[in-house]
């Protein structure tokens, strides 16, 4: 689950479950039709591809 804002949509590649308020979050947490397994897999893949230290360090090196 991620708060619905431009930064979170960018960093999760529009693949998270987004909420816009506390009530919306509670509603989504209680929604048993939301399948979190694919979401968890997608977030793990994105994190491993974009946010590992090796990737970030390589990006900093190319910047220099």
């Amino acid at each position: 689950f991620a708060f619905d804002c431009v930064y979170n949509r960018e960093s999760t590649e529009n693949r998270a479950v987004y909420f816009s308020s506390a009530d919306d979050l509670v509603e989504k947490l209680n929604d048993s039709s939301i399948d979190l397994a694919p979401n968890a897999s997608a977030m793990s893949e994105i994190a491993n591809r974009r946010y590992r230290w090796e990737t970030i360090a390589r990006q900093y090196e190319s910047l220099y």
Side-chain angles (χ1 to χ4, degrees):
F1 294 95
F3 184 72
D4 193 2
C5 66
V6 173
Y7 174 79
N8 286 342
R9 285 198 174 263
E10 174 67 25
S11 63
T12 61
E13 299 177 358
N14 286 315
R15 294 170 69 187
V17 176
Y18 302 98
F19 64 92
S20 57
S21 68
D23 290 337
D24 188 26
L25 175 59
V26 169
E27 191 175 300
K28 286 186 171 48
L29 288 170
N30 290 321
D31 185 349
S32 61
S33 71
I34 297 175
D35 185 5
L36 294 177
N39 183 264
S41 178
M43 295 304 105
S44 179
E45 184 273 323
I46 291 167
N48 284 324
R49 179 171 34 85
R50 294 179 66 173
Y51 302 111
R52 294 185 59 87
W53 177 245
E54 295 84 11
T55 303
I56 294 168
R58 189 172 37 254
Q59 290 172 340
Y60 273 118
E61 287 174 356
S62 70
L63 185 65
Y64 297 131

